[in-house]
Amino acid sequence: MTGIPGKILGQTENEFPFQARLLDEKFDLPNTMMKGVGEFLDQALQKSKATRNDFWQRDFTSSEAFNQSIASQRQELQEILGLIDKRSAPFMSYQESGALEPYTFENEKYTISAVKWRVFDGVYGEFYAEGLLISPKGETKARVVYVPDAATAPEVVAGMTGEGETGFGRAAHMARNGVEVMVPVLLNRKDTFSGSSIQGKFTNQTHREYIYRQGFILGRHVIGYELQKVLAAVDWFQAKNERTGNPLKIGVAGHGEGGMLSLYAAALDSRISASLVSGYFDQRENIWKEPIYRNVFALLKKFGDAELAVMSWPQKLNIEDSLYPEASGPPAPSAGRTGAAPGVLSIPELSSVKAEWQRAEAMLPKGKSNLRFFEGRNALGNGEQSDKSLSVFLKDLGIEAELNEKNTSLLSSGLPSHWLNVEHRQERAVRAMENHVQQLIPASETIRNTTFWQTLDSNSGDLKAIKSAHRARLWEELGKLPDPNVPNNTEARFYAETEGWTAYEVKLDVWEGVFAWGILLVPKGVDLTMPLAAVVTQHGLEGLPKDVLTKDKTERAYKPYKGFASDLADRGYVVFAPHNLYWGQDNFRVLQRKANPLGLSLYSIITGQHQCIVDWLGQQDFVDSERIGFYGLSYGGKTAMRVPALVEGYALSICSGDFNEWVRKVASTDYEAFNSYPFTGEYEIPEWNLANTFNYAEMAALIAPRPFMVERGHKDAVGTDKWVAYEYAKVRRHYANIQQEGSTKIAYFNDGHTINGKESFAFLDRFLKNAK
């Protein structure tokens, strides 16, 4: 930036062309903004515990009254966990060897069989669970779904292998005492199958994260898929009870990740008579530190572990504080395998676990508690359930158990030589979820056609009102915060000047502790008493406002941005280049992790900041509030889709280097999914359930009838011409339908991920500068 000598406005108080206090020259704008947002979210996470009770009106007068009083919460919990696929009629079959012989192993007490059971089928394809069925040879007294931790194979808890200290197997113990046990396979924490042989791309994401990444935008979750497996096993047990006319009690027990699934299952399904949750229960306000596959959107608004426990009433719920596998992070990166999100599994303090249990107890009427607490981590060093907790759990199911001896009859140094290949089974489990998710991608378009486009194309009703309702829904999907509620308290300082303009850094308060900031460029040689058109120019990932200004071709930022903010100021526009939150590598991604459990996202904050920016610009005498446009590249193009769709103060929007068939870009792993996000390190990208509500065409329709433009470089690897053209065709059709086809445009140019600034500048001139 070439400076101009002489007296410079903005070096002392009141030397700005707008009202502002002088901003301390040492004030660190980007880092302080990030810190403030982090603290804002930290406070909201802590407050969520106190405000959850506002959403509940539990009726403990009877089990029927209780179930009715929490029915809406159960429905919401199912939705945020992704349990929205209707399960099939119960069906189970034995897994067979190449010789068509069932995989079975038995002793004098029980038989172990490798089985699979149908979870759901239909238009999105069949989905099966696999695992073990352990059937007692004597009288069957109860039925239990036993869910091991993700790191533990079913054969271990069945006592079929001497692997580790858990080789004697709690599931086998139950079978010895007359319990029929189903043990599902969970996705483990390895990365062996996390990738696509079609694409030739693999990551170091655990299998659990790999599915989480694909499913999140489609309203599905690895937790939901595995809960479906558990509940389908309960369906099978229930059907067996009805078929035999013997209404045996059904229980669910689990450890580690299996303990989590047992807690959710107990909260959701009143058919479960008793549950045992081991090695999972805790306070969840720091869930953002855990592996990302435990991230559940909006969970903490209503559901901590205590609330989940109370939802199981009056069925018995046994909570045991026990050890479980710890993990300092995902598998280490290796050749060609990177991109996993950080996240730690650590054993919580006993005091923390007890505090959450006590919070649950406090929600229950005196004398009506269904909860029991066990300190198991010292009772059994190997991390499974203690004899005491398991005995009590079985007693809840009507069984007096003998658990004081290890099951040695099946203990061996390894699996039988004829047994099925457990690695192949794990691959089938990963691919079953992946295939189902991938089939949901085209299906989501059908859903959007029904719930969005048909409402716009029906020619009935007030289109403006219909869009207003959709806009409110988009707010909800991205997470709406209250409108900015503090004075702007504008502060500014001089930044730079050229022959054509003067630039200032401007800071605006948004919420307590949260502010927006950016660089304001005011043209020289114009009458500032005459309102000018303004353009908000948005940087991309890891960018700063200065990046969109620089005309120095030796700087890294010049190649993508080409100083387009400076060019626009030279053309007579007031320009504001704001800083967005996607800066600082994992520091900003942590903000997304903190926001999601509250039902929020990065765009909950960013949109509020832009509300303030637009309002503030519109208040300046030298800005025409009716002619403020938005123009962003890359992540700034992502912003160009979401923010103007919500902030109606933007008169138009230009999306550069990002417009896409966004759902495919985020979730697809097929052969066309070039550079799609399941294979990258940008783990903050997926937005919960957005595929079923708003792709980019739908967002553009919310911008309409305001002008909208796409700038697309043929060589831009962010997408393909095919995907971009397909999605834009829907936009063009909508503008034609509302008789505004001249207000939208797509401009192709033969370059890569960069601002072109030719047809886009003409577009701005047409709809802003000349639209007086």
Side-chain angles (χ1 to χ4, degrees), residues 600-750:
L600 303 173
S601 68
L602 287 174
Y603 277 97
S604 304
I605 308 292
I606 290 170
T607 306
Q609 291 171 321
H610 279 268
Q611 285 178 285
C612 282
I613 289 167
V614 169
D615 288 347
W616 182 82
L617 284 172
Q619 292 165 12
Q620 307 312 309
D621 291 340
F622 53 87
V623 174
D624 185 341
S625 63
E626 299 297 316
R627 294 187 291 145
I628 303 173
F630 190 100
Y631 187 178
L633 172 70
S634 193
Y635 226 121
K638 177 176 163 138
T639 307
M641 298 309 307
R642 289 155 181 79
V643 169
L646 296 172
V647 179
E648 296 178 86
Y650 280 120
L652 62 75
S653 183
I654 301 177
C655 175
S656 181
D658 189 74
F659 191 86
N660 224 314
E661 198 174 349
W662 184 248
V663 177
R664 289 189 181 277
K665 173 70 175 177
V666 173
S668 181
T669 60
D670 68 19
Y671 68 97
E672 288 189 317
F674 185 71
N675 284 346
S676 60
Y677 285 115
F679 305 111
T680 75
E682 292 155 291
Y683 56 81
E684 85 291 349
I685 285 290
E687 295 149 305
W688 175 250
N689 198 43
L690 202 66
N692 296 315
T693 51
F694 298 93
N695 205 344
Y696 272 15
E698 288 78 19
M699 293 180 196
L702 295 185
I703 295 171
R706 293 167 289 164
F708 172 73
M709 178 179 172
V710 172
E711 192 173 51
R712 162 69 190 166
H714 288 305
K715 300 176 183 178
D716 189 346
V718 77
T720 67
D721 286 344
K722 175 181 175 181
W723 284 13
V724 173
Y726 180 84
E727 190 69 8
Y728 179 75
K730 301 176 190 178
V731 179
R732 180 66 175 74
R733 176 180 177 273
H734 177 64
Y735 275 83
N737 281 348
I738 61 173
Q739 299 180 334
Q740 294 290 328
E741 55 264 50
S743 295
T744 187
K745 181 181 182 64
I746 186 167
Y748 293 98
F749 61 99
N750 197 32

Side-chain angles (χ1 to χ4, degrees), residues 117-168:
W117 58 99
R118 188 168 55 205
V119 180
F120 46 79
D121 53 19
V123 294
Y124 304 144
E126 291 188 336
F127 181 73
Y128 278 82
E130 291 190 45
L132 302 182
L133 175 64
I134 312 177
S135 303
K137 289 189 171 179
E139 178 190 2
T140 299
K141 303 173 183 177
R143 296 188 164 99
V144 168
V145 183
Y146 186 94
V147 194
D149 180 66
T152 305
E155 285 76 10
V156 175
V157 298
M160 296 179 67
T161 170
E163 177 186 333
E165 295 177 327
T166 58
F168 59 92

